[in-house]
Amino acid sequence: MASFPIEIKNLINSLSQLPGVGPKTAERFVLFLLKKENTRKTLTKNILNLKKISFCNQCGNFSSGKLCNICLDQDRNKNKILVVARPQEINVFENIHDYNGLYHVLGGLINSTKDIKDKDLDINGLIKKIKKNNKKTEIIFALNSTSKGEGTMLYIKNLILKNKNLKNKVKLSRIARGIPTGGEISYADDLTLRESLTNRRSI
Ligand SMILES: [Zn+2]
């Protein structure tokens, strides 16, 4: 790498910071991009476009507008809310084409070792949605089956059930345990995920 111009070195260094990309792979990418002008232009444009992305005001999904495509979709069942920890998990469920409700992103899981508390998560937003809906809302928890996922789910469940008004307005369920204990939702295959959603059970 010592003989490369600084521009090449800089890009190799930048790409090496990507997950799963070591300096050797980064160097291959840069040498490829030097040869392929069209790929380089498209890649540059697409990377710059990422600055338009923020989070949906309603569900917390990635979005280039105030509301994401799912929240804007009038055909969605507004009486079902699937609760996930991170926005990328919405994409995992959308890929199985089997769920027609809405989503709610908590923004993490309660984690005492990392000092992530209930107030750091968007739990209030979920409560507001339940209150706002005139009909009964099914809340489907789809959090990782780890101690942090379980703890967060129980915390929210208890919060809802101890409030009489809220308790009567919800049906609480969780996706089935098709996903191995400690398993990450993002890594579950489509069939496992579809079955865990279909076989969800009340909590
Ligand atoms: Zn949304």
Side-chain angles (χ1 to χ4, degrees), residues 56 58-61 67-68 71:
C56 171
Q58 204 163 288
C59 74
N61 190 11
L67 296 180
C68 73
C71 290

